[in-house]
Amino acid sequence: MSVSMQFNHKRLQSDFNALATIGATAEGGVNRPALSPAHLEARAWYAAQVKQAGLALQIDGAGNHSALLRSPNPSAPTLLLGSHLDSVPEGGRYDGALGVVAALEVLRSIQEAGLNLPVHLEAIDFTDEEGTLVGFIGSGALAGTLTPGDLQNPRGGREALLAGLTRAGLTEDGLFTARRDPATLAGYLELHIEQGPWLYDSGVDIGVVSGIVGIASFRLAFSGRANHAGTTPMAARRDAGLGAAAFILAARQLVLDNFPGCVANVGALRLEPGAFNIIPGRAELALECRAVDPAELDRLQTSLLERAQREAESFGLGLEVSALGQHAPAPMSQLAQQAIQEAAAELGLSSQSMPSGAGHDAQNLAPLCPTGMVFIPSVDGISHSPHETSRWDDCINGANVLLGAALRLAGSSDCA
Ligand code: HGY
Ligand code: MN
Ligand code: MN
């Protein structure tokens, strides 16, 4: 059987469009934070698609939803394909969703072709990839890297986590039953939009991901003294907002000057009590920093936290730092990269090896089994925005490459 099967493009597009209506926003994106009603609605939709396709549905203790196409060999390992149906708040339609519907389409196409593989195929939707609750709950639970400690002070807050688990019918203890024995895994492949400008600007069709960035998250709280905004002399203030503002600017300059290729972001800032006429006594900010190299990620976060302390002292402020989770950088497997590159070449598509500045579930799977990611161009590099979009031809290319790479990784031999 040739490994360059094609598949039902129309069905993929109708799935994608149907999914994009769930949690749709007026601006053209989606709002499906992990375990929110919209996210659970998307999962129910996915489950219905799986059943309609005559595939087995599996939901594990971490809420990961999977379609299964079993090999005739019951003791065969499982090749995982997939991504995530949750989104960032006010996000885009492609991030995660494309990878899940493409993975399902690969299973349906192989099933309809009557191809028997030496592996079970599983199209999985991972829980909380975006970290609006914890970050990588589903893939971390499956990989055995999620710990009870991760659930105590998560970046989305413990209350939101417990509410989400309850809404989804999940329990903290149940999350840890999702762990898989790595010996049962033949590999993991994920199709994803690049979420940056490189492929789109360079005109390359396919990105073959070489490695995924490491991510460290912190909550910083600058504390000063709330006071009257009108009667307190400017020189006598302990304004927590000044410490936070000075740190945000200093963090940007520190990364630009000393950490080429790394990033830092303050994605949320809250001033308390938060009134026009009160000097903010407290300023809380959400800090995230990323680096491809583990040692550099350590140096980066140390430098940022030292700088935060200096800014706090310069404005007479206190500083509390809460570490909210860290995900190690992960190299992709040579085997998977080669399968992706060959599948692209066979389809006459240009491809280029490239790192991922975005985090992905694949970084949890990489230490367990041969893991790879297929990137397609993001128009103008926009993502985590309702204006995130990709050309549909690129989506088809990506799904075809996912199919070809899956057949290669699965040994592509008919084992009937
Ligand atoms: O945040 C990220 O990098 C990914 O989109 N979850
Ligand atoms: Mn994603
Ligand atoms: Mn994302």
Side-chain angles (χ1 to χ4, degrees):
M1 161 69 73
S2 152
V3 293
S4 64
M5 274 173 61
Q6 302 272 332
F7 61 79
N8 187 326
H9 299 183
K10 291 236 173 306
R11 186 168 57 191
L12 178 69
Q13 191 157 29
S14 67
D15 276 358
F16 180 83
N17 292 337
L19 181 55
T21 65
I22 301 174
T25 57
E27 294 75 21
V30 295
N31 191 35
R32 292 200 298 254
L35 304 184
S36 64
H39 178 225
L40 299 182
E41 186 187 340
R43 288 191 137 172
W45 172 85
Y46 182 62
Q49 294 301 105
V50 171
K51 289 177 187 161
Q52 192 181 18
L55 295 164
L57 174 68
Q58 175 183 289
I59 301 173
D60 66 16
N64 297 319
H65 281 51
S66 296
L68 293 174
L69 178 61
R70 289 193 175 86
S71 162
N73 170 8
S75 59
T78 297
L79 176 58
L80 285 170
L81 311 172
S83 193
H84 58 93
L85 293 177
D86 67 306
S87 79
V88 292
E90 308 302 321
R93 295 178 295 150
Y94 294 77
D95 180 355
L98 177 66
V100 174
V101 295
L104 178 61
E105 186 51 42
V106 166
L107 266 63
R108 286 191 293 217
S109 300
I110 290 173
Q111 179 189 43
E112 287 163 0
L115 191 61
N116 290 315
L117 298 179
V119 294
H120 303 306
L121 282 181
E122 182 172 343
I124 191 165
D125 151 41
F126 284 114
T127 300
D128 187 35
E129 188 277 345
E130 293 291 2
T132 45
L133 294 175
V134 178
F136 302 131
I137 291 179
S139 54
L142 185 147
T145 52
L146 184 75
T147 68
D150 294 331
L151 311 179
Q152 300 318 307
N153 181 23
R155 64 185 214 176
R158 180 149 173 84
E159 267 175 53
L161 171 63
L162 295 179
L165 292 176
T166 303
R167 197 177 301 122
L170 301 173
T171 63
E172 288 184 85
D173 291 346
L175 297 178
F176 302 102
T177 64
R179 189 181 183 295
R180 297 277 184 97
D181 173 357
T184 65
L185 298 176
Y188 175 65
L189 288 172
E190 179 169 358
L191 168 62
H192 206 285
I193 53 173
E194 179 202 337
Q195 299 182 287
W198 198 87
L199 290 173
Y200 185 74
D201 291 348
S202 61
V204 173
D205 297 317
I206 297 290
V208 183
V209 177
S210 53
I212 301 175
V213 73
I215 306 176
S217 306
F218 301 88
R219 185 174 294 115
L220 303 187
F222 292 84
S223 51
R225 186 174 55 213
N227 209 332
H228 195 295
T231 57
T232 311
M234 289 302 280
R237 297 180 180 211
R238 288 178 51 215
D239 181 342
L242 293 182
F247 170 68
I248 291 170
L249 287 170
R252 175 179 177 275
Q253 203 55 51
L254 180 153
V255 175
L256 285 171
D257 294 346
N258 308 307
F259 292 91
C262 298
V263 294
N265 185 57
V266 173
L269 173 63
R270 191 174 62 220
L271 299 179
E272 295 174 352
F276 281 89
N277 55 0
I278 306 174
I279 299 167
R282 181 178 171 84
E284 195 170 280
L285 56 82
L287 170 67
E288 202 197 69
C289 59
R290 304 185 183 205
V292 176
D293 174 74
E296 187 148 51
L297 183 61
D298 288 345
R299 284 197 306 278
L300 173 59
Q301 56 189 289
T302 302
S303 301
L304 286 167
L305 297 181
E306 282 170 356
R307 188 54 187 265
Q309 186 58 44
R310 279 203 348 247
E311 295 303 339
E313 284 161 10
S314 69
F315 289 97
L317 305 173
L319 176 66
E320 298 149 46
V321 176
S322 304
L324 301 179
Q326 179 146 337
H327 302 285
M332 296 292 97
S333 92
Q334 290 304 323
L335 183 66
Q337 291 184 61
Q338 187 184 339
I340 295 166
Q341 198 277 327
E342 287 175 3
E346 184 167 66
L347 292 162
L349 299 171
S350 59
S351 67
Q352 172 70 44
S353 172
M354 61 185 293
S356 171
H360 296 285
D361 290 306
Q363 67 197 101
N364 279 321
L365 274 294
L368 277 68
C369 60
T371 295
M373 289 193 76
V374 181
F375 271 179
I376 64 160
S378 292
V379 174
D380 294 332
I382 295 171
S383 184
H384 283 189
S385 154
H387 306 299
E388 172 188 284
T389 188
S390 288
R391 297 168 298 212
W392 190 250
D393 284 351
D394 287 328
C395 296
I396 293 292
N397 287 341
N400 274 321
V401 170
L402 181 71
L403 173 59
L407 290 171
R408 276 169 175 76
L409 269 194
S412 73
S413 60
D414 195 330
C415 66

